[in-house]
Amino acid sequence: MNRSRQISTLALRHVIPDALAIEQWAEMRPLIDGQDVLGEIHPEGVASCSRREWFGPAERWPLAAMEEPRQVELSNNDCCTGCCGGVFVTIHRQGDRVVWSSWQNTNDIRVPVPDDVHFDAAQYDAELARAVADTSWEQPVDTVARLLTQGLADSRWFERWDCAVNQVELRREEPEAVEVYFSHRRATQAYGSDFAFDLPVTRHEPAEEQARRLIGLITADDPRKTAEPL
């Protein structure tokens, strides 16, 4: 169907991955006019825009539309797209519209890709903000990971110790946990450069209380003393 002459509607849907998937943060799958476009052209793939990438300012969100066109990876095979392929699109803000164009399906070039898709820019921006604010889908491990990521960033605790958080990971396979990986910018004789916290998450304690307790645990002392060296 040629969408270039009509205004389409974007919706983002959270999908919790399998416990054994490489990416454990929830997928944020784009729906165009109610249709799962990735399910149509890359049915065995996973959405590349995981929830881990939707923190911080709106202009840094994966699907943010700027005046400068940019290519965005939409899906992959739970692997590197350079190895196994995926779906790509160019996102461009044009006045009161957002345009998705130049679709590519490197997973299977035989599968037809959509024509240019035009969105109303106001609806598009509002949907991105709505999806980021939506936490109704979360399981306890998702809530703890989100609050931990936000809380540690706001506290600037690691910077105090000349450290930087590299990534926050979820583990959905039992026992569930959130893992915080960080580095010390200058390795010394007393401390190496890479560390990790492995923080168990339960389903019987409120997630907000767990996140508060775990942030308190991490920020109680020099994190290099209490984390596991790698």
Side-chain angles (χ1 to χ4, degrees):
M1 177 180 178
N2 189 328
R3 303 176 189 269
S4 61
R5 296 181 180 179
Q6 69 180 49
I7 300 296
S8 291
T9 299
L10 177 72
L12 296 175
R13 181 182 69 187
H14 292 86
V15 176
I16 294 175
D18 182 84
L20 298 180
I22 293 175
E23 177 57 80
Q24 290 287 283
W25 285 84
E27 299 176 55
M28 292 181 73
R29 298 185 68 87
L31 306 182
I32 298 177
D33 297 329
Q35 298 298 312
D36 183 350
V37 63
L38 298 180
E40 295 175 355
I41 62 178
H42 190 186
E44 70 275 22
V46 298
S48 299
C49 297
S50 69
R51 184 62 181 85
R52 75 160 70 241
E53 301 176 82
W54 293 78
F55 293 96
E59 60 268 21
R60 297 182 185 175
W61 295 345
L63 300 181
M66 306 298 177
E67 292 185 0
E68 183 71 23
R70 61 190 184 92
Q71 187 181 68
V72 174
E73 179 185 310
L74 291 182
S75 72
N76 62 77
N77 287 297
D78 205 22
C79 183
C80 173
T81 51
C83 170
C84 299
V87 174
F88 301 82
V89 73
T90 295
I91 299 178
H92 182 198
R93 184 180 297 270
Q94 297 180 347
D96 62 354
R97 292 191 179 191
V98 171
V99 181
W100 285 18
S101 62
S102 304
W103 292 76
Q104 296 181 35
N105 184 355
T106 61
N107 172 71
D108 189 344
I109 61 174
R110 298 168 299 177
V111 177
V113 294
D115 295 324
D116 292 358
V117 183
H118 290 229
F119 302 100
D120 175 79
Q123 186 276 323
Y124 185 97
D125 293 341
E127 175 57 16
L128 266 57
R130 182 210 63 79
V132 170
D134 178 21
T135 60
S136 62
W137 56 273
E138 289 182 339
Q139 296 180 351
V141 70
D142 298 287
T143 304
V144 172
R146 172 177 55 82
L147 294 177
L148 201 62
T149 299
Q150 294 172 328
L152 293 177
D154 292 343
S155 72
R156 304 178 69 88
W157 180 254
F158 285 92
E159 295 179 14
R160 172 177 175 177
W161 303 99
D162 199 24
C163 295
V165 175
N166 299 325
Q167 56 190 13
V168 177
E169 297 288 353
L170 286 73
R171 186 172 71 233
R172 297 183 186 277
E173 189 177 15
E174 296 291 345
E176 292 181 325
V178 173
E179 300 162 345
V180 179
Y181 294 89
F182 68 97
S183 296
H184 184 220
R185 293 189 174 95
R186 294 189 300 273
T188 65
Q189 187 173 5
Y191 296 108
S193 59
D194 297 309
F195 304 83
F197 286 99
D198 190 338
L199 308 166
V201 175
T202 70
R203 290 177 175 262
H204 62 265
E205 180 184 1
E208 292 78 7
E209 294 183 13
Q210 293 185 70
R212 191 178 306 112
R213 173 170 50 79
L214 294 175
I215 291 173
L217 174 70
I218 293 173
T219 58
D221 201 350
D222 181 342
R224 297 168 297 173
K225 293 182 179 179
T226 51
E228 292 290 330
L230 298 177

